[in-house]
Amino acid sequence: MDSVDELQPPDRLLMGPGPSETHPRVLRAFGTPPIGHLDPAFVEVMDETQDLLRETLRTDNEWTIPVSGTGSAAMEAAVGNLLEPGETMLVPGNGYFGGRMAEMARRAGGEAVTIETPWGEPLDPEDVRAACAEHDPDVVGVVHAETSTGVRQPSMPAITEAAHDHDAFVLADCVTSLGGIEFRMDEWGVDAAYSAGQKCLSCPPGASPLSISDGAMEKVLDREDPVRSWYLDLSLLEGYWGEERSYHHTAPVNNIYALREALRLIHEEGLVARWERHRRFSGALREGLWALGLEPVVAPSARLPSLTTARLPGGLAPGAVVETMREEHDVEIATGLGAFADEAVRIGCMGHGARRGPVLETLGALGETLSAHGIDIDPGAGVAAAVNALDE
Ligand SMILES: *Cc1c(COP(=O)(O)O)cnc(C)c1O
């Protein structure tokens, strides 16, 4: 084999659905030499990371850990532990990640029942209540921030109430909301929640938050059948992340360094201030998009600050625009997914990307890209509108 060059990936601005821009302090932490995963000094890092995770999730749950793997690993841990074979899980039908939940529920030996809701709309708590009455589920899944459509689920407490009235546990996907928009695990009555590093936490992918209430964990520890995944079995992981700190598998030490630093940044900024920052800069990004002739897919009341889905002007194909943005401007945005694949682009505003510089650079590049594809607009209109919005 010929020699392989030293790694030199292109310098892209990451404004898609994730991975997002990584904070330099997080990258430095990631590059810190690893120590042993059972070293008392690392156990301290684990404790601190768990405390910071509880603060960020707004929970007192003892059972709060970073799962080794990306968000889907934390998702599979949540579904696979909480749902037992033969049980029923309600899953949302309004986006791509609800479909993934359903697939995981089936693989866990359960039955998945979809709450039919159009893509681009949030669930109606009354539909959840009706589905609970009809199907008597053991677990109700909800995606708090649907990255495939840009929908925020606004009525979380009403959904958890409907589920609890039927004695079902609520499992929430907060992958694209944690650290970016309001999420209050305990106050909202969420029994299990998972997230990922590379969205609003602005961390490289690889260690993913998971939190489970005492009541839900009791169910996990009382299971008759062992969890089908040995790696993700929380009753075994308890040995490592619980009191004992005994070996289960080697923790991804550097990922946990990085996650700890990302969470420390959130603590410094303040969670509420961080939500407000996402609201402010995503608002400016949107003003810029509309000024460039893009049209929103989602109604204002359900728009997700961390991810905007928008139709392009002049019937332009998303794929061509995404490619020009990447190849000519080094800016990553994404095409739609599923129902919106051929119709819309998805533009993120997450974590370290939710700032003036990245937002204006994205809008400038998009203006030039649309012009280059023959759309008759002022290429600077997006930047001007965003600057205006930020000055208000
Ligand atoms: C990104 C994402 C996931 C999956 O996370 P991975 O890190 O890609 O495994 C799950 N749910 C939602 C809503 C996401 O946006």
Side-chain angles (χ1 to χ4, degrees):
M1 168 177 167
D2 295 335
S3 71
V4 176
D5 292 337
E6 187 178 350
L7 182 66
Q8 211 170 22
D11 187 8
R12 308 263 203 243
L13 177 65
L14 299 179
M15 296 295 277
S20 61
E21 289 287 291
T22 308
H23 196 287
R25 262 172 57 188
V26 173
L27 282 178
R28 278 202 298 279
F30 196 91
T32 306
I35 55 175
H37 61 289
L38 295 170
D39 188 312
F42 188 67
V43 169
E44 204 176 314
V45 169
M46 291 165 70
D47 285 337
E48 292 161 348
T49 307
Q50 289 179 282
D51 281 343
L52 287 162
L53 275 177
R54 288 186 193 102
E55 180 177 283
T56 310
L57 283 155
R58 297 252 155 146
T59 184
D60 291 329
N61 291 339
E62 184 63 30
W63 249 91
T64 304
I65 65 167
V67 172
S68 304
T70 67
S72 303
M75 185 176 185
E76 195 143 36
V79 175
N81 279 268
L82 209 52
L83 192 70
E84 293 185 60
E87 291 189 341
T88 300
M89 178 168 175
L90 288 185
V91 298
N94 63 339
Y96 178 87
F97 290 101
R100 184 172 291 186
M101 263 186 191
E103 180 61 23
M104 287 180 178
R106 287 189 287 268
R107 286 178 187 227
E111 193 194 341
V113 177
T114 301
I115 304 169
E116 296 301 342
T117 303
W119 279 49
E121 291 179 21
L123 297 186
D124 182 337
E126 286 313 310
D127 290 346
V128 177
R129 193 169 283 281
C132 283
E134 188 180 344
H135 301 286
D136 195 23
D138 303 280
V139 178
V140 173
V142 50
V143 178
H144 180 229
E146 213 352 307
T147 324
S148 63
T149 58
V151 166
R152 177 180 70 91
Q153 182 63 52
S155 40
M156 292 293 287
I159 289 177
T160 56
E161 195 186 313
H164 291 162
D165 284 349
H166 286 267
D167 288 329
F169 287 110
V170 174
L171 198 175
D173 179 316
C174 60
V175 172
T176 297
S177 52
L178 189 66
I181 65 170
E182 184 178 17
F183 182 78
R184 300 177 186 271
M185 184 165 188
D186 289 358
E187 199 179 314
W188 292 353
V190 173
D191 302 288
Y194 59 86
S195 189
Q198 75 277 15
K199 313 270 169 122
C200 298
L201 302 181
S202 270
C203 195
S208 302
L210 172 68
S211 184
I212 297 206
S213 70
D214 288 349
M217 194 61 189
E218 218 169 279
K219 179 181 184 202
V220 172
L221 295 174
D222 281 349
R223 286 176 63 111
E224 281 178 19
D225 289 313
V227 173
R228 292 185 175 182
S229 163
W230 177 88
Y231 195 72
L232 299 173
D233 183 342
L234 295 178
S235 70
L236 301 178
L237 283 168
E238 196 195 6
Y240 184 52
W241 286 99
E243 293 289 301
E244 225 174 290
R245 307 286 180 180
S246 58
Y247 174 68
H248 175 262
H249 68 268
T250 308
V253 170
N254 293 60
N255 281 99
I256 290 167
Y257 286 167
L259 181 62
R260 176 180 173 281
E261 190 62 21
L263 296 168
R264 235 163 63 85
L265 281 162
I266 296 177
H267 178 85
E268 277 174 25
E269 181 175 3
L271 194 52
V272 173
R274 193 171 169 104
W275 297 337
E276 170 58 21
R277 173 163 63 82
H278 279 76
R279 193 200 59 74
R280 177 165 139 84
F281 287 101
S282 66
L285 173 67
R286 277 171 194 166
E287 288 308 317
L289 296 177
W290 315 154
L292 290 172
L294 283 83
E295 285 178 6
V297 168
V298 179
S301 59
R303 266 178 217 157
L304 184 57
S306 42
L307 190 110
T308 300
T309 321
R311 294 193 174 85
L312 292 166
L316 271 184
V321 169
V322 167
E323 185 180 329
T324 305
M325 289 284 282
R326 185 184 64 235
E327 297 306 322
E328 303 297 326
H329 301 281
D330 274 322
V331 177
E332 178 174 286
I333 60 168
T335 61
L337 203 58
F340 301 122
D342 302 322
E343 286 186 38
V345 289
R346 291 181 299 150
I347 304 182
C349 188
M350 303 181 186
H352 197 51
R355 291 179 301 131
R356 188 180 182 95
V359 165
L360 297 187
E361 186 177 336
T362 303
L363 289 168
L366 186 59
E368 286 185 48
T369 298
L370 296 177
S371 275
H373 282 277
I375 303 295
D376 182 23
I377 43 152
D378 165 12
V383 175
V387 167
N388 227 344
L390 289 173
D391 283 349
E392 269 168 16

